[in-house]
Amino acid sequence: MREQPRPQPQILRQRNIYLPDDLVINNILTRLPVKSVMRFRRVCKSWYSSIKTSDFIDTHLSNYKDSHDNNGYVIHMPSVRNTSSYRSPSSSSSSSSSNTSIPVCTVAYDRTFDKISDVRIPFDVNFNQIVGSCNGLLCVANSGNVIYLWNPSIRKFKKLPDTLLGQLDNVTLGFAYHPENNDYKVVRISSTPFGAPVSYHEIEVYTLSSDSWRRVGITLTTTVILYDKNFPLPIPLVNGALHWISCIAEGEENHKSRTIMAFDVNSEKFRKLALPHGSIDENTFQTFLASFKGKLAFITWERSEQPGTQYSIWVMKEYGVVASWNKLRVVPFERVSHCSAFTENGSLLVCYINDQVEEPDFKFVLVDTETLHEKKDPDIQQHSYVATFMESLVLLDGANTVAD
């Protein structure tokens, strides 16, 4: 009787398996971390071409969001050029030129601000402002009205073309994703510290797909004054609209009242949203707008009944419905504390101004607004802009981009 051949070991059987490129690209590569995907571009020309397509980039982004639903990250960047915000790149070379300090921003966990990694800032900016963050793409501007789009994950950036309005002393900027067209927009509005009225020629919009600016008119019948008073928080993008705290003047006597102006990214039209009733009084020092778990949040910094100050956080449960404003919680502080950031998951980063000579001028404290637990030493040491962050391949297929 003829002896039957022995079965091959599992590892040998696997060598005979052929996986079509389409299966590997669409079902495997689209689920890998960005760093791994970038390495796999080098396998062959067909993979390189496929990974750069908008379909692959969009699928990878969708898979990332599905698998990281509860993992929040932030990125923070020093607001001014400061040697303490620099890192010396590690190098085994003894050359002194390799030890030049470079500016960095930091990727960290949303709730704790524990550092994950530092990322070198690839362009030269003396004053950094994170205008906004959408799908891992950052919009960064400096005091000279130079604007960049930058994806730290793939180390690519793009300098925006010159604006139509040119150099302006005071501007407010917003950054948004336009899902209907799978596009990104930068909104630039002239403003003054004294609140000069905004006219039709003082608003312009940049669109990534066209790589150009357009002027946009404002169609409200009342006089509108848009303030750039959300500093240092980015202008929030909620429900497809960017939101500014504003003042409107109505009637023959120009009666002024505060409101929220929402710029719809799709229609490029403004609409008014009322503030929470009774949220502002003579004890209010400052107000902010933010995004909290995808909903519009209104934050007031005010004098409290006890010694010290407090932050009151309001959330609009149903977008556009004034009656749905809900006072979520009040966060008290015994000392003067300036708001530096408010994250999607409700972490409030504040800066204590110290009145004791022997201590540093300021220090940062991170507060979980749900538990009121304080983390007294978050991994941040200076005034910074903070934005949400995620890994993505956005801008990989972009034209006129620069690789770091």
Side-chain angles (χ1 to χ4, degrees):
M1 185 174 181
R2 189 174 181 179
E3 185 178 353
Q4 296 294 325
R6 298 177 62 183
Q8 289 181 315
Q10 180 71 18
I11 190 170
L12 295 179
R13 293 203 306 270
Q14 288 178 344
R15 291 179 179 177
N16 297 325
I17 295 176
Y18 169 74
L19 294 177
D21 275 0
D22 287 349
L23 180 63
V24 174
I25 292 170
N26 298 327
N27 292 61
I28 299 177
L29 297 187
T30 58
R31 301 179 186 278
L32 295 180
V34 166
K35 187 177 291 186
S36 299
V37 174
M38 296 297 284
R39 287 201 299 265
F40 277 116
R41 289 188 308 163
R42 304 169 186 168
V43 170
C44 60
K45 290 183 178 180
S46 63
W47 283 24
Y48 182 90
S49 299
S50 297
I51 289 171
K52 286 187 65 175
T53 63
S54 58
D55 286 343
F56 182 94
I57 293 170
D58 294 343
T59 302
H60 183 273
L61 179 63
S62 177
N63 290 339
Y64 180 92
K65 289 181 177 180
D66 290 342
S67 61
H68 291 76
D69 188 43
N70 296 319
N71 296 329
Y73 303 99
V74 295
I75 189 166
H76 55 85
M77 174 186 291
S79 59
V80 294
R81 171 162 288 195
N82 188 313
T83 55
S84 64
S85 66
Y86 287 22
R87 304 285 190 272
S88 295
S90 58
S91 173
S92 58
S93 171
S94 59
S95 173
S96 59
S97 61
S98 66
N99 293 324
T100 304
S101 295
I102 55 176
V104 300
C105 60
T106 301
V107 179
Y109 292 104
D110 180 303
R111 292 192 178 277
T112 64
F113 272 64
D114 290 339
K115 183 173 73 172
I116 299 173
S117 63
D118 284 331
V119 183
R120 187 178 75 87
I121 301 172
F123 36 81
D124 184 25
V125 282
N126 292 322
F127 179 89
N128 309 323
Q129 174 191 1
I130 298 182
V131 176
S133 173
C134 299
N135 297 332
L137 186 63
L138 301 183
C139 179
V140 180
N142 70 6
S143 55
N145 289 317
V146 179
I147 305 172
Y148 297 90
L149 296 181
W150 175 38
N151 186 337
S153 298
I154 60 174
R155 301 183 184 275
K156 290 190 73 173
F157 70 92
K158 176 183 180 66
K159 182 181 178 181
L160 270 57
D162 292 340
T163 64
L164 298 176
L165 298 178
Q167 183 76 21
L168 297 171
D169 291 333
N170 298 283
V171 295
T172 176
L173 297 165
F175 180 55
Y177 173 62
H178 183 198
E180 285 81 0
N181 292 345
N182 192 24
D183 208 350
Y184 296 84
K185 294 184 177 183
V186 180
V187 181
R188 185 171 184 259
I189 305 175
S190 61
S191 65
T192 73
F194 307 104
V198 173
S199 58
Y200 74 96
H201 58 80
E202 294 175 304
I203 304 171
E204 56 186 338
V205 175
Y206 168 85
T207 305
L208 178 59
S209 60
S210 66
D211 192 26
S212 62
W213 292 89
R214 293 176 292 104
R215 291 183 176 180
V216 176
I218 187 166
T219 57
L220 296 175
T221 57
T222 54
T223 299
V224 179
I225 304 168
L226 278 83
Y227 294 114
D228 188 14
K229 291 190 174 181
N230 222 51
F231 175 87
L233 278 63
I235 298 299
L237 175 67
V238 178
N239 205 58
L242 292 163
H243 300 80
W244 282 267
I245 295 176
S246 309
C247 179
I248 58 174
E250 297 178 297
E252 295 180 359
E253 299 180 356
N254 280 333
H255 174 72
K256 294 182 179 180
S257 60
R258 292 197 203 186
T259 189
I260 298 172
M261 292 299 299
F263 180 81
D264 187 282
V265 177
N266 184 44
S267 67
E268 296 188 348
K269 302 290 185 183
F270 283 93
R271 64 176 290 195
K272 292 183 289 186
L273 295 176
L275 293 169
H277 180 70
S279 58
I280 300 176
D281 57 27
E282 65 275 6
N283 293 316
T284 304
F285 302 126
Q286 196 172 6
T287 58
F288 308 91
L289 291 171
S291 175
F292 173 65
K293 297 183 178 179
K295 299 184 182 297
L296 185 63
F298 178 63
I299 304 170
T300 61
W301 180 38
E302 57 210 6
R303 185 180 295 108
S304 62
E305 295 180 359
Q306 304 297 324
T309 61
Q310 64 186 28
Y311 285 90
S312 296
I313 302 170
W314 303 71
V315 174
M316 182 177 270
K317 289 187 173 181
E318 185 177 349
Y319 185 80
V321 179
V322 177
S324 70
W325 278 115
N326 177 52
K327 193 172 187 178
L328 197 63
R329 55 187 60 94
V330 175
V331 185
F333 293 93
E334 295 181 355
R335 303 167 65 181
V336 176
S337 53
H338 293 288
C339 177
S340 294
F342 184 72
T343 71
E344 276 283 345
N345 285 327
S347 295
L348 182 67
L349 181 70
V350 299
C351 175
Y352 279 151
I353 307 299
N354 292 325
D355 53 7
Q356 300 180 23
V357 177
E358 64 270 15
E359 294 185 7
D361 292 337
F362 56 83
K363 68 175 182 178
F364 291 91
V365 174
L366 188 67
V367 180
D368 186 322
T369 56
E370 186 172 345
T371 64
L372 298 185
H373 172 74
E374 287 190 10
K375 181 179 181 181
K376 298 188 180 298
D377 295 306
D379 193 8
I380 183 170
Q381 287 81 38
Q382 60 186 302
H383 293 289
S384 301
Y385 285 98
V386 180
T388 57
F389 185 71
M390 66 175 65
E391 283 191 352
S392 81
L393 298 168
V394 176
L395 212 63
L396 186 62
D397 59 340
N400 301 320
T401 57
V402 178
D404 176 15

